[in-house]
Amino acid sequence: MNAKATDIDYDRSKVKSLEKQGRIYTSTNQMHTHKPLPTAKSTLCYFDYAIVKKSDQEFIFIGDFHIHNLSSEPIVNPKVCFRFSPPQLAALKGQIFTFEQAAFGKQISPQWMFVDSEWSDQAKERGEIWIVSTEPMSIKQGESAIIQRFQIPVSFQYSETLTIEGFVYADSDQKMKSSNNIIFTYHS
């Protein structure tokens, strides 16, 4: 837990540095409340995607990840996790920035960036890729946020099944799981 806290402090210091430069903005609300977890009736998260076959062994999954808030509580500063199984196939591209790109890029709202820390490197080894908004985000009742046009390139070496799950975590201890997963079985 101490290593995770250290990584969070490190990320906060990076964000504060960017705030001073006027590059990104973060929420000043640090109060966390313990609320019951939203049910599938209150939040809807899902993948909308297509598969492009590049060769017999290479594919690209192109799509969007949707977060719809149907509850009366806002979803504040969502953190998105794509979990890959098997972990060695974890790769994500598209309109998602690295920390450096987000720091010095043009601010087109909303933007998403990869979480960049030792903790996220360890998470990637487990098959998890974490994404956050580059600016404060509050998804109010009836509103949506979308991670648009992500790309997941995959090269299969032998017969296996790829599973990608989506999870969303918010500042108020909300935890949401995608209503669908990307599941693809390759046969060599």
Side-chain angles (χ1 to χ4, degrees):
M1 188 71 175
N2 288 339
K4 187 174 180 181
T6 302
D7 289 337
I8 289 171
D9 289 340
Y10 175 75
D11 285 341
R12 284 185 182 149
S13 69
K14 279 186 171 181
V15 169
K16 284 183 183 188
S17 172
L18 288 173
E19 284 177 321
K20 287 179 184 177
Q21 298 170 24
R23 301 285 181 173
I24 67 169
Y25 308 93
T26 59
S27 170
T28 57
N29 180 4
Q30 297 297 325
M31 185 172 11
H32 294 278
T33 59
H34 296 283
K35 298 180 182 175
L37 297 179
T39 64
K41 296 176 186 171
S42 62
T43 305
L44 178 62
C45 307
Y46 64 92
F47 290 99
D48 180 15
Y49 67 97
I51 303 168
V52 177
K53 183 177 182 180
K54 289 182 65 179
S55 70
D56 285 343
Q57 294 178 311
E58 295 180 345
F59 300 84
I60 299 178
F61 297 81
I62 300 171
D64 300 330
F65 185 75
H66 298 260
I67 307 166
H68 296 287
N69 187 2
L70 306 174
S71 75
S72 59
E73 296 294 321
I75 300 170
V76 179
N77 297 324
K79 296 133 192 87
V80 179
C81 173
F82 288 177
R83 184 168 62 191
F84 292 72
S85 178
Q88 65 270 19
L89 296 179
L92 187 62
K93 297 180 179 184
Q95 296 184 354
I96 305 165
F97 296 104
T98 63
F99 185 79
E100 290 77 19
Q101 290 170 325
F104 300 108
K106 296 178 183 174
Q107 292 294 314
I108 301 169
S109 185
Q111 287 183 337
W112 297 91
M113 70 177 181
F114 295 104
V115 173
D116 183 21
S117 67
E118 275 186 46
W119 175 83
S120 65
D121 291 340
Q122 293 170 358
K124 185 157 185 195
E125 290 175 11
R126 294 189 308 268
E128 297 175 1
I129 297 178
W130 287 81
I131 305 162
V132 296
S133 177
T134 59
E135 55 190 52
M137 178 182 288
S138 180
I139 309 169
K140 295 176 179 55
Q141 181 180 15
E143 292 182 349
S144 301
I146 304 171
I147 298 173
Q148 296 182 325
R149 295 182 283 284
F150 66 75
Q151 299 174 17
I152 300 171
V154 180
S155 180
F156 293 101
Q157 303 303 315
Y158 49 87
S159 295
E160 63 186 319
T161 298
L162 168 67
T163 302
I164 305 168
E165 299 172 283
F167 301 91
V168 178
Y169 299 86
D171 280 359
S172 60
D173 292 334
Q174 294 167 308
K175 300 173 186 172
M176 298 141 275
K177 186 175 185 322
S178 177
S179 62
N180 67 339
N181 299 323
I182 297 174
I183 300 174
F184 182 79
T185 301
Y186 172 76
H187 297 284
S188 55

